[in-house]
């Protein structure tokens, strides 16, 4: 019973397909037997499937051609109407051809860069001079992190587009190097309240034990004197901790054995500053100050922010400054596994967030900080030979122009 109904239904469907695909036939036919309908419909169905398959292979191409033809027709109509209205339809701003890179050597770049006056502190003239060298093909890395094509190109959209970055994705995308602890976010080098509490307990118990031992072992008068002295130690400890807790915190850090020798500290500073210099240069920040610090013997670089003093900073400026601020700490991490000199950079970045045109909340500040670390890691990794050359230049206290020549020149 079920088989008969199924056969009848299939035959009916195939019959309808045959009717719809027949050419020049009437829409209504005298009903035929099920077997006749099935046999005729099957043959027509096969032809329909074969033709559909052959059509499906050509349909995408036909559709694309139709869309192209429609677009061309619409453009012609637009241009015709625009001409009738007296409008210029030459295609908008002229396209700027990409400059042909000259691949100058480091000595050649030094000759070219001699014409730039970095010492004047004029951000506008500095940027314009470097822009001209990019457009002439002499330089290539200036503003390379933010510009799309030549500096005179019509597109003003920056390549630096921040996006949310979690600590997990930051660690994953930096080969496990840049993490919360390595950046100093909740790192093992921070001195917590628990550290102060544990040290206080040790000081009190140790002083008490020494006081009892002095009474038990030393002569009566001498033992009493030492007992009073040991009793004063916890009081002095609490007093120092209340007035200057940094001294105790420094003692805790020193006791962990994290101190470095002078040569290692100097190289760490060189790597830190070289990271700032390279990323700041690639982000298009003109140099405001470049002097050798008398304390460390290493040149420190300071950039002009992308805005005048007192003015609010745009989103593009905040993005660039986020990258530059984190580049020093990331440079340390790439060599030593952890950063120790990024506190001032984070404070400067906080000041930049306060100057932003758009409100930057706590969550967005964290995203920008982590994204800045990720972006600076990518810049330095992609230009590792340039970065290592800069590190050596900072060790040798090279001039600012020599550092620029190392970045832009070919070895």
């Amino acid at each position: 019973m079920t088989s008969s109904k199924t056969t009848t239904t299939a035959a009916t469907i195939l019959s309808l397909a045959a009717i719809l695909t027949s050419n020049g036939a009437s829409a209504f036919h005298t009903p035929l037997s099920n077997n006749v309908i099935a046999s005729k419909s099957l043959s027509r169905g096969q032809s329909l499937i074969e033709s559909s398959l052959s059509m499906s292979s050509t349909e995408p191409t036909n559709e694309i051609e139709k869309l192209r033809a429609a677009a061309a027709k619409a453009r012609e109509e637009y241009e015709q109407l625009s001409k009738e209205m007296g409008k210029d339809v030459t295609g908008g701003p002229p396209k700027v051809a990409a400059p042909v890179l000259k691949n100058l050597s480091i000595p050649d770049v030094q000759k070219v860069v001699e014409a730039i006056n970095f010492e004047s502190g004029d951000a506008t003239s500095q940027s314009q001079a470097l822009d001209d060298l990019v457009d002439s093909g002499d330089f290539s890395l200036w503003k390379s992190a933010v510009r799309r094509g030549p500096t005179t190109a019509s597109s003003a959209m920056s390549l630096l587009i921040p996006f949310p970055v979690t600590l997990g994705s930051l660690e994953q995308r930096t080969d496990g190097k840049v993490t919360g602890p390595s950046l100093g976010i909740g790192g093992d080098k921070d001195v917590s309240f628990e550290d102060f509490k544990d040290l206080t307990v040790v000081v009190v118990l140790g002083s008490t034990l020494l006081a009892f031992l002095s009474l038990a072992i030393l002569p009566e008068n001498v033992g009493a004197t030492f007992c009073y002295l040991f009793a004063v130690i916890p009081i002095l400890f609490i007093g120092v901790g209340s007035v200057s807790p940094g001294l105790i915190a420094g003692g805790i850090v020193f006791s962990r054995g994290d101190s470095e020798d002078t040569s290692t500290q100097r190289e760490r500073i060189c790597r830190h500053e070289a990271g700032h210099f390279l990323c700041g240069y690639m982000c298009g920040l003109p140099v405001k100050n470049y002097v050798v610090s008398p304390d460390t013997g290493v040149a420190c670089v300071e950039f002009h922010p992308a805005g005048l003093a007192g003015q609010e900073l745009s989103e593009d400026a905040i993005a660039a400054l986020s990258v530059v601020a984190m580049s020093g700490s990331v440079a340390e991490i790439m060599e030593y596994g952890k950063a120790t000199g990024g506190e001032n950079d984070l404070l400067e970045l906080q000041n930049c967030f306060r100057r932003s045109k758009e409100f930057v909340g706590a969550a967005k500040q964290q995203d920008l900080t982590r994204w800045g670390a990720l972006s600076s890691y990518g810049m330095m990794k992609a230009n590792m030979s340039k970065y290592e050359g800069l590190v050596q230049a900072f060790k040798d206290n090279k001039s600012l122009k020599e550092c620029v020549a190392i970045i832009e020149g070919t070895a």
Side-chain angles (χ1 to χ4, degrees), residues 45-108:
Q46 287 179 345
S47 300
L48 179 63
I49 292 170
E50 290 174 358
S51 62
S52 298
L53 288 173
S54 62
M55 287 175 64
S56 63
S57 62
T58 59
E59 279 180 0
T61 304
N62 293 337
E63 289 297 325
I64 293 172
E65 293 299 329
K66 289 178 182 178
L67 290 172
R68 286 176 176 172
K73 185 178 180 181
R75 179 176 291 278
E76 290 176 2
E77 292 177 355
Y78 165 75
E79 291 179 355
Q80 182 64 32
L81 290 172
S82 298
K83 287 179 180 179
E84 292 176 359
M85 296 174 64
K87 291 185 178 180
D88 183 13
V89 289
T90 55
K95 293 183 179 179
V96 180
V100 179
L101 297 181
K102 298 178 182 178
N103 294 321
L104 300 178
S105 64
I106 293 178
D108 290 337

Side-chain angles (χ1 to χ4, degrees), residues 98-220:
V100 179
L101 297 181
K102 298 178 182 178
N103 294 321
L104 300 178
S105 64
I106 293 178
D108 290 337
V109 174
Q110 280 186 261
K111 295 177 183 177
V112 172
V113 83
E114 283 296 328
I116 303 177
N117 185 8
F118 289 101
E119 290 77 16
S120 67
D122 185 356
T124 304
S125 61
Q126 222 183 105
S127 297
Q128 186 58 55
L130 291 169
D131 286 348
D132 293 341
L133 289 172
V134 169
D135 295 336
S136 65
D138 293 318
F139 287 4
S140 61
L141 287 182
W142 167 251
K143 285 186 179 179
S144 59
V146 296
R147 60 181 167 83
R148 298 173 183 266
T151 61
T152 53
S154 58
S155 176
M157 181 182 290
S158 172
L159 287 174
L160 289 177
I161 303 176
F163 54 86
V165 178
T166 63
L167 285 173
S169 63
L170 176 62
E171 180 177 359
Q172 182 181 7
R173 298 178 67 175
T174 56
D175 304 321
K177 294 180 180 179
V178 184
T179 63
S182 66
L183 280 172
I185 304 173
D188 57 359
K189 195 170 182 178
D190 294 337
V191 179
S192 64
F193 177 74
E194 295 297 325
D195 295 326
F196 281 103
K197 186 173 69 173
D198 294 342
L199 183 59
T200 302
V201 171
V202 170
V203 170
V204 172
L205 291 179
S207 299
T208 304
L209 179 61
L210 290 173
F212 280 116
L213 288 176
S214 63
L215 288 174
I217 298 174
L218 298 176
E220 185 175 350

